[in-house]
Amino acid sequence: MQTEILGNIKSVNKRGNVLIIKTNEAVARIWVYDNSIIRINVSKSLDENDTSFAVIQNPANRFDYTESADEVVLTTSVLKLRVSKSPLRFNFYTAGGKVLSEDDERFGINWQDERVINYRKLHLDEKFIGLGEKTGNLNRRGSSYVNWNTDAALHGVDADPLYKTFPFFIGLHSGLTYGLFFDNTHKSYFDFGATTDEQMSWFGADGGDMNYYFFGAQSVTKIMEDYTWLTGRMEMPPLWSLGYQQCRWSYMSAAEVLDIAENFRKEKIPADVIYCDIDYMDEFKIFTWNKETFPDPKGLIDKLKAINFRLVTIVDPGIKIEPGYKQYDEGVANGYFATYPNGKKYVANVWPGRCHFPDFFREDVREWWGASFTALTEPCVEGFWNDMNEPAAWGQNIPWMVKFGEHYMPEVRNAYGMQMARATYEGTKRLLGNKRPFVLTRAAYSGTQRYSAVWTGDNSAYDAHMLLGQRMVNSLGITGMSLIGVDIGGFTGDPTPALMVRWNSLGVYTPMFRNHAMQGTKMREPWCWGKENEAIIKKDIELRYRLLPYIYSGFYQSHKTGMPLSRTLAINYTNDENVFDVKYQNQFLFGDAILVAPVESTKFIEDVYLPADEWYRLSTDEKFTGGRSIIADAPLTDLPVFIKAGAIIPMQNIIQSTNEKGDGILEINVWYGNEANSFVYYEDDGLTYDYEKGDYYKRVISFDPGKRMISFSEVEGSFVSKYDKIKLVLHGFTTNTRGLKIKGTMKVSGSQALTFANDRLMIKIEY
Ligand code: GLC
């Protein structure tokens, strides 16, 4: 094996919008994508056409640089890249010259045969966050990780690798911030000062180029905005997917599916979604229904619709080898399956037995796959769960000679699941016409947010998994994903009733709220835990439905800016050391205003860290000063949840499904604070793409304690709100409040609530 280190520069040329630098070992290219984003690609085998699965933007046309005997310097309004010539090293600074991140002078970028690595200097106080779905602490300093999408069945709380690859992290030191996205789909490695001498961190891959994007914005929020500008943002999700989802491997028949759904209505527990796991199929053949147990899919779905339930069905990539089975015959006839270089089709065992695997890297295959969903869309399925797409191949490593598209398996394995989700999303979007499909995938690569929601795979019914799940949700949020679920209750094993109740209460604040369990485990539905526990679970699910207007507006933020719904406190309180303390690292903000402290099911008080701000406990309106930790009561009936002072939270009355209109009152809750605040309220039909044509309802709600005023801006967009009335509810306002008065008209004296028409024009309320 040969080690090579990037040596001295031999030439520097600017060609169009790229700076090309040559050394004896490699060619380096530099592009400026935006003032705060610079891309570096260092390659030993230059391929000018290096397309990316993740990136959807093009570089900017112009940039400025200067060249001297020692270095080349590129400067934007945000970043300075100093490229030293002997040897070639890449060092990033703020425009003002503060060090953000520098190559290790000795080793910089180097290779061992095809393996490519970049060693970077480690700062004494440097912290790292990101990498998406990874175990370990919020601060990844001292840890190392591998990206190799894996069917991590029965994984423990320290397992690595897991199902997904998000090679993007944010570095924090000296009060500065930077981001780095290593866009390389080979097996990749990240070491945040774990195995080195505390002087270096490094990342690398088994092959491909040293191809990375450096983000220089000076806030975690802006870096995340830049990363999601580069790799895309989610569309508005169907509103129904934000309601409560009930899943199981498997409800074994149409009768059982219907029975479960009906029971939610009988028990008056709100829910929107029920799932069919693999057993709805005929011998696990994708795009089929079991004729005995699911004889009339359309009939089943009609009945579910009549009680406001939607059905989501699972699809796996493995196509059963069985002549006469439509997808097998078509795949063979058209050469749609992954093969060895000699054209022989690759075979592996998964649920159906011996299978071939669609080559989702080819457009014709994606189109064929997408069109096959008629078997599900004709009976009106609107949600499509993509599983086993790492891809899983039981008992074996997929041989390296297997080809996906133009590539060998090891080159693109990490993007296979993403390409399956893409094929599913694009196909079902075409089939559903103007309706939004809901796609959920287990395997993913950076950019998957454009196509699909994700969940964190097969967790277990332990407290430690519940806490890890929350950290993974928060971490996936840093890497562009917002619609994220974990199997509430734990997939494997049986939760204690206390764990079930506790986990469900955290589910209220999980972007995708889905209860799922493995075959052979105890039934998990809310009524399986005794009357008392059922009542708690029901109340929590009701709270989720009360919060849906806030949650939907939160997803609008994800759609527009990439800010996820569940946010590690490191995003907003980056310079507060306490948020990285392992005691507090699971805490998160759910949207702009709600702080949630996960608590194990065996603890009934919790040490909660409240960052510098003022906070109100949601359940009591009790007020707390932040910048300190408190001991919070945490009975199973009341997860410690705090509202930031000044918060504006839209809620609605309890409905049984998102299909119900409810009482038509949008409740705007405001918690008193000393500082002005505003909230972007967003609503649309929750179902179609009409919002892209302006059919939405959006207004800014502002609270100004200086002016003693709460105001609603004029409505933007043509959508007519489903709420006819607005009810303003105040929390924590002082007793000398003079009463509420709509400016110039009605006054409600001495009241903390006021109801008025949901007028489209500007509304101002004095108190
Ligand atoms: C995998 C999935 C799990 C599913 C099961 C059966 O283990 O991760 O969610 O229930 O397969 O399809």
Side-chain angles (χ1 to χ4, degrees), residues 354-378:
R354 287 159 57 78
C355 286
H356 293 320
F357 294 81
D359 182 351
F360 292 113
F361 291 89
R362 282 168 43 191
E363 197 178 336
D364 56 340
V365 179
R366 287 198 299 273
E367 273 180 19
W368 163 72
W369 174 263
S372 304
F373 278 92
T374 47
L376 301 172
T377 55
E378 272 168 10

Side-chain angles (χ1 to χ4, degrees), residues 249 277-278 314 316 351 385 387-388 442 455 457-458 487 491 514 516-517:
W249 170 24
D277 203 329
I278 46 175
I314 197 168
D316 293 344
W351 301 117
W385 175 16
D387 191 20
M388 308 290 280
R442 194 171 70 177
W455 94 104
D458 298 348
D487 289 352
F491 177 71
R514 187 180 77 147
H516 181 43

Side-chain angles (χ1 to χ4, degrees), residues 344-566:
K344 195 172 166 340
K345 285 179 280 299
Y346 167 65
V347 180
N349 272 298
V350 267
W351 301 117
R354 287 159 57 78
C355 286
H356 293 320
F357 294 81
D359 182 351
F360 292 113
F361 291 89
R362 282 168 43 191
E363 197 178 336
D364 56 340
V365 179
R366 287 198 299 273
E367 273 180 19
W368 163 72
W369 174 263
S372 304
F373 278 92
T374 47
L376 301 172
T377 55
E378 272 168 10
C380 291
V381 177
E382 288 169 54
F384 312 94
W385 175 16
N386 288 204
D387 191 20
M388 308 290 280
N389 51 357
E390 293 71 32
W394 289 343
Q396 58 162 295
N397 291 311
I398 300 179
W400 294 348
M401 278 170 84
V402 172
K403 291 198 82 173
F404 290 137
E406 295 301 301
H407 315 276
Y408 286 103
M409 186 279 296
E411 300 172 296
V412 290
R413 175 189 180 90
N414 288 337
Y416 185 87
M418 175 200 202
Q419 295 308 302
M420 178 184 176
R422 173 184 176 189
T424 303
Y425 161 78
E426 287 172 350
T428 56
K429 187 172 178 180
R430 266 194 299 272
L431 291 175
L432 293 180
N434 191 27
K435 266 195 210 161
R436 304 173 202 169
F438 168 69
V439 180
L440 174 64
T441 180
R442 194 171 70 177
Y445 182 72
S446 291
T448 299
Q449 65 271 17
R450 305 196 297 267
Y451 313 119
S452 182
V454 294
W455 94 104
T456 60
D458 298 348
N459 59 359
S460 298
Y462 300 107
D463 281 296
H465 266 276
M466 175 177 70
L467 300 182
L468 169 66
Q470 190 56 53
R471 271 200 312 288
M472 294 208 284
V473 170
N474 299 347
S475 177
L476 280 161
I478 298 170
T479 55
M481 298 304 310
S482 184
L483 190 48
I484 312 161
V486 299
D487 289 352
I488 302 285
F491 177 71
T492 58
D494 291 319
T496 61
L499 178 58
M500 189 65 235
V501 169
R502 185 65 102 198
W503 210 330
N504 183 73
S505 70
L506 191 55
V508 175
Y509 308 96
T510 302
M512 190 189 92
F513 187 2
R514 187 180 77 147
N515 171 317
H516 181 43
M518 187 176 169
Q519 198 179 41
T521 57
K522 276 199 215 146
M523 294 304 279
R524 281 293 167 77
E525 297 68 26
W527 49 86
C528 301
W529 306 94
K531 277 290 159 205
E532 218 173 288
N533 289 323
E534 178 181 342
I536 308 173
I537 291 172
K538 174 176 151 132
K539 209 157 165 251
D540 279 328
I541 297 176
E542 287 173 347
L543 175 59
R544 168 76 175 204
Y545 278 78
R546 295 252 299 129
L547 285 168
L548 279 177
Y550 171 76
I551 293 173
Y552 198 63
S553 297
F555 278 108
Y556 178 70
Q557 244 183 318
S558 307
H559 165 60
K560 280 292 179 196
T561 69
M563 188 49 57
L565 206 63
S566 292

